[in-house]
Amino acid sequence: MYYYVAIIFTNIFVDFFMMSAFLNRFCGKTFHAFLKNINKIKAFSQGVNLCERRQNDVDKLYSTSSKSKQVYLIDEDENSNKSRVSSFNKYTNRSYTCGELRSNNIGESVNLCGWLEYQRMNKFVVLRDSYGETQLLINEKDLKTQRLLENLPFESIIQIRGTVLSRPKAMINEKQVTGEIEVLIDDLKVVNKAKNNLPFNIREFQKAKETLRMQYRYLDLRFPQMQRNLRERSRLIMKMREFLFNNNFVDVETPTLFKATPGQFKQMLMAGAIDRYFQIAHCYRDEGVRSDRQPEFTQLDIEMSFTNVDGVINLIEELLLYSWPEYLNPIAMKFQRISYKDALENYGNDKPDIRFEFKIQNCTELFKPNEKLVDDDFGAYFVKIPKDYANLNKQIKELMLGLAMNYPNAKFFQSKVNTPKEWTSKINKLLTSQVATKFVEENKLENDSVLFLAYGNKNEVLSLLGKVRLEYVNFLENLGISVRKKGMHFLWVVDFPLFEISEETGCLQSAHHPFTAPHPEDLHLLKSSPLNETLLDLLKIERNTMQHIIDMLGSGCPPHGGIALGLDRLLSILLGTTSIRDVIAFPKNFEGRDPLSGAPSYISEKDQKLYHIKSIPSNKLKN
């Protein structure tokens, strides 16, 4: 007991080993005996350092029934009441996750919880949780545990207490992060027994079809890939929030129940002097469901007062750099910029893939002498594929012809250029020999290359060749031919048109939304005052439906600008998934329905009356 007296006497926090000389002088052999006891205590705790032992263990080993505030134990400090477990396990009944144990944990007594993934011979068990897998070992004499597991269905929840052992060298699994250890079960408890014959097993090699996995999404979420996707989604959004908060943006929740108008709450915030706004916003849009679209989706909405295009662009570049995942190749500090017009001319769409060449080239002038082909909206363009990437087999020909059928106002011509001379003879029905020769010379056609040519309505021609360009490269890469540059190559498309003609109605409509500022050079094309009401007139929007916006803009609203990033699409790109459904916890299917609950579903007459809704059968609507 001398060492207690010594520590009470000092009345300060002192590292035990720094006190060794003092204690040795006053305690002699007693102190050396105590050191030996310390080593025994370490061995008893399976290698846990005394200074890292949980407080309840410390109290059990050292405390007295009446502890004075003046008594300080050897490994006790002001933080001694705080749990010394990792953040993954804090506040839980487990001491480690199933992906956390390593060889340096050998000898420890641990508590694990998770799903019964697999068992073999009533001897080996695989326990899985959100973080990984751990192999458990059952003692041959432990008949109780063997009986518990004998008929226990996979995916049942179990909790075990056991001791970490090293695996035999021949049994080490180098592909598994916990492959050097296994846990000998001391005690096992069945927390929740699963049903027999679940809809599908959690096995990567026998994954069920997406339709079934979406119906039982809570099972699908157990797959490691879904775990990774949702955790990366959380991390990315957290980093974005952190960046924006550090740059004085205010997170404001705007209503989702509002008047059926394209009113913008973020504009009202600008008028209300909230000059930097952002929101992780749930959005709803009545559009078809595709691999990159959902009727319900999430976007990062941002707005700033007193800014311009460059200000918004710089903000997003810095935001993405700050939140960029470490496991991906770094991105450029400044992104390339291209005009909307050049994007269509060179790539055939407004979201071009710039990771490879094969740009669309203009040959309209060579076709103009043929008056039978040319009209006001005429255009002729081509895509040239060099020899090293030339492959025009039957499969790719049929694929391209299928694409061309969707563009009735564009004539499509595809050919293998064995020699330029041979190609000119093939094209002489369309172009004269002289024009064909000029085409070959100006565009430097090479032997054994491939040429895709289209002419007719300019918009359809460009759109068709844009898809031809992408599908051809996809075809090559499916054959194992690398074409695209690695990594992410972001691009700003600027100078979008303010208006466009609707394909459905033939009327003028906003290319983006009615509250997009015209380019300064184009202001003279619109009435000068009041500009916002002029846009409403042009778009035939009733002013009374937008009066709250007009009043707001007339109250002293600063000039402002912003952007909205589609987080589902961004995450799908970053994680390399084939669909945004793989980065959404509970997505909708191709019909826009929730396969898990069956929503949307019919509502009762009572609820219809409550919400002033009347449901009309579809057969009456047709009549």
Side-chain angles (χ1 to χ4, degrees):
M1 296 298 293
Y2 292 104
Y3 52 93
Y4 272 97
V5 176
I7 299 177
I8 294 170
F9 177 76
T10 60
N11 199 25
I12 56 173
F13 290 104
V14 182
D15 185 279
F16 171 71
F17 298 103
M18 293 294 291
M19 286 286 293
S20 61
F22 178 84
L23 293 173
N24 188 48
R25 179 179 177 185
F26 284 92
C27 305
K29 295 181 180 179
T30 305
F31 174 66
H32 290 291
F34 176 69
L35 284 178
K36 291 181 179 180
N37 288 333
I38 289 294
N39 291 328
K40 289 180 180 179
I41 293 168
K42 288 182 180 179
F44 177 77
S45 302
Q46 291 83 31
V48 180
N49 188 287
L50 178 61
C51 295
E52 296 176 348
R53 184 176 294 113
R54 296 182 185 85
Q55 185 58 41
N56 60 346
D57 294 332
V58 174
D59 290 344
K60 182 178 179 181
L61 289 169
Y62 293 104
S63 65
T64 61
S65 57
S66 59
K67 186 188 297 183
S68 168
K69 290 184 178 180
Q70 301 300 313
V71 178
Y72 294 94
L73 302 186
I74 292 168
D75 60 348
E76 188 177 39
D77 59 24
E78 290 178 342
N79 298 317
S80 61
N81 290 325
K82 295 182 179 178
S83 178
R84 291 189 177 93
V85 295
S86 70
S87 58
F88 292 105
N89 308 302
K90 197 175 180 181
Y91 318 119
T92 70
N93 295 326
R94 68 190 181 208
S95 56
Y96 291 93
T97 70
C98 291
E100 200 172 356
L101 294 172
R102 299 291 188 273
S103 58
N104 61 339
N105 298 112
I106 291 170
E108 289 189 40
S109 178
V110 298
N111 294 324
L112 303 178
C113 304
W115 284 262
L116 173 62
E117 182 173 58
Y118 183 70
Q119 71 148 314
R120 180 167 59 92
M121 301 166 53
N122 264 6
K123 185 176 181 180
F124 298 101
V125 173
V126 176
L127 187 67
R128 185 196 70 245
D129 66 6
S130 308
Y131 306 95
E133 300 171 331
T134 296
Q135 179 169 291
L136 310 179
L137 186 64
I138 305 171
N139 192 310
E140 293 180 357
K141 298 179 181 179
D142 188 356
L143 300 180
K144 177 185 174 183
T145 299
Q146 292 179 29
R147 281 194 295 268
L148 277 173
L149 289 169
E150 189 172 9
N151 297 309
L152 190 64
F154 293 159
E155 297 306 305
S156 294
I157 301 292
I158 62 176
Q159 180 176 346
I160 71 102
R161 177 174 52 81
T163 304
V164 183
L165 306 177
S166 61
R167 286 200 202 183
K169 287 186 177 180
M171 303 298 292
I172 289 176
N173 186 348
E174 294 182 354
K175 296 180 180 179
Q176 193 176 43
V177 293
T178 59
E180 293 184 350
I181 60 91
E182 56 192 358
V183 177
L184 177 64
I185 297 175
D186 296 327
D187 182 65
L188 182 144
K189 178 182 178 182
V190 177
V191 178
N192 193 344
K193 182 180 178 181
K195 295 189 298 184
N196 290 309
N197 302 318
L198 291 174
F200 54 86
N201 294 322
I202 313 302
R203 300 281 191 276
E204 288 289 348
F205 61 87
Q206 55 175 199
K207 231 175 183 180
K209 292 183 178 179
E210 186 187 48
T211 305
L212 185 63
R213 288 188 287 110
M214 287 182 65
Q215 184 179 353
Y216 299 94
R217 189 63 161 183
Y218 46 85
L219 292 178
D220 191 40
L221 291 176
R222 298 178 192 176
F223 279 101
Q225 189 64 46
M226 284 303 304
Q227 287 286 320
R228 172 179 178 260
N229 291 352
L230 294 183
R231 291 175 191 280
E232 283 301 321
R233 182 188 183 106
S234 175
R235 189 209 65 82
L236 180 73
I237 292 174
M238 181 276 293
K239 293 291 287 184
M240 287 179 165
R241 284 185 185 276
E242 185 176 77
F243 173 85
L244 292 167
F245 180 79
N246 290 341
N247 282 277
N248 301 306
F249 282 80
V250 182
D251 185 357
V252 181
E253 297 179 22
T254 58
T256 56
L257 295 177
F258 191 58
K259 194 174 182 180
T261 67
Q264 308 259 327
F265 278 106
K266 59 186 181 182
Q267 290 188 291
M268 297 184 193
L269 290 170
M270 298 299 107
I274 304 295
D275 67 328
R276 291 190 167 210
Y277 145 87
F278 83 96
Q279 181 180 190
I280 307 296
H282 241 11
C283 303
Y284 309 91
R285 187 170 293 163
D286 184 13
E287 61 182 6
V289 180
R290 303 191 317 220
S291 62
D292 64 344
R293 287 188 181 181
Q294 282 258 136
E296 181 180 8
F297 58 97
T298 306
Q299 67 182 26
L300 171 60
D301 198 21
I302 299 175
E303 199 78 13
M304 287 188 293
S305 294
F306 307 109
T307 190
N308 55 23
V309 172
D310 288 334
V312 175
I313 285 177
N314 291 337
L315 166 68
I316 297 303
E317 288 175 347
E318 292 181 17
L319 169 72
L320 289 176
L321 280 168
Y322 184 86
S323 56
W324 195 250
E326 293 180 358
Y327 56 83
L328 293 176
N329 292 330
I331 54 176
M333 294 185 67
K334 292 293 179 184
F335 304 163
Q336 183 180 337
R337 298 190 195 185
I338 188 174
S339 70
Y340 175 84
K341 179 180 178 182
D342 287 344
L344 293 184
E345 285 279 328
N346 295 324
Y347 301 98
N349 61 60
D350 59 6
K351 46 182 183 296
D353 190 338
I354 60 172
R355 293 173 294 173
F356 64 95
E357 292 298 324
F358 309 165
K359 291 182 182 178
I360 298 171
Q361 299 181 57
N362 194 334
C363 59
T364 303
E365 292 301 319
L366 291 175
F367 278 73
K368 279 188 175 179
N370 191 336
E371 296 179 357
K372 294 180 181 179
L373 301 177
V374 178
D375 57 24
D376 292 339
D377 297 320
F378 179 80
Y381 294 83
F382 68 93
V383 173
K384 182 176 62 174
I385 309 297
K387 176 181 177 179
D388 291 343
Y389 298 100
N391 187 339
L392 199 63
N393 60 23
K394 183 179 179 181
Q395 181 183 357
I396 192 64
K397 278 187 174 181
E398 290 177 354
L399 175 64
M400 297 307 175
L401 288 174
L403 289 175
M405 291 178 64
N406 297 318
Y407 298 90
N409 298 315
K411 302 297 182 184
F412 182 64
F413 183 80
Q414 56 181 330
S415 59
K416 177 74 179 294
V417 182
N418 294 317
T419 66
K421 184 177 181 180
E422 181 190 46
W423 183 83
T424 56
S425 64
K426 287 182 183 179
I427 203 74
N428 60 11
K429 292 182 180 180
L430 181 62
L431 302 173
T432 65
S433 177
Q434 182 179 1
V435 172
T437 301
K438 187 177 181 181
F439 180 95
V440 168
E441 292 173 352
E442 287 184 357
N443 298 295
K444 300 178 181 179
L445 285 192
E446 300 173 342
N447 293 344
D448 300 321
S449 59
V450 168
L451 190 76
F452 299 108
L453 174 67
Y455 61 93
N457 178 272
K458 179 179 178 179
N459 290 337
E460 289 199 16
V461 166
L462 287 172
S463 183
L464 168 59
L465 289 179
K467 291 188 176 180
V468 165
R469 174 180 178 269
L470 290 172
E471 289 301 324
Y472 184 79
V473 169
N474 290 340
F475 169 77
L476 291 181
E477 294 200 329
N478 286 336
L479 295 176
I481 302 170
S482 180
V483 182
R484 291 179 171 91
K485 292 182 287 188
K486 303 300 180 185
M488 303 290 176
H489 300 266
F490 287 107
L491 173 76
W492 288 107
V493 180
V494 297
D495 298 334
F496 271 72
L498 185 62
F499 302 116
E500 62 185 9
I501 301 297
S502 170
E503 294 181 0
E504 297 178 358
T505 65
C507 298
L508 198 68
Q509 66 180 16
S510 294
H512 188 52
H513 60 70
F515 306 105
T516 303
H519 195 283
E521 296 176 4
D522 297 330
L523 281 173
H524 67 282
L525 300 175
L526 298 169
K527 296 178 184 178
S528 59
S529 178
L531 183 59
N532 56 288
E533 295 188 43
T534 299
L535 293 177
L536 297 180
D537 291 341
L538 287 170
L539 297 171
K540 299 180 180 178
I541 297 175
E542 293 291 335
R543 294 192 191 186
N544 60 351
T545 66
M546 304 295 292
Q547 192 60 49
H548 59 287
I549 297 292
I550 295 172
D551 292 343
M552 176 270 293
L553 293 173
S555 70
C557 183
H560 50 272
I563 193 170
L565 299 181
L567 293 179
D568 307 308
R569 290 185 184 181
L570 176 61
L571 279 155
S572 181
I573 292 170
L574 297 185
L575 294 169
T577 68
T578 57
S579 166
I580 63 171
R581 292 186 294 277
D582 292 328
V583 298
I584 300 173
F586 299 101
K588 303 296 184 290
N589 62 15
F590 276 107
E591 297 176 344
R593 301 179 67 89
D594 173 20
L596 185 64
S597 66
S601 56
Y602 292 104
I603 58 175
S604 67
E605 291 185 8
K606 180 181 178 182
D607 287 338
Q608 290 183 40
K609 186 177 180 180
L610 177 64
Y611 295 107
H612 304 282
I613 296 173
K614 187 174 183 180
S615 178
I616 301 174
S618 58
N619 58 346
K620 290 188 178 181
L621 288 174
K622 292 178 182 178
N623 295 333

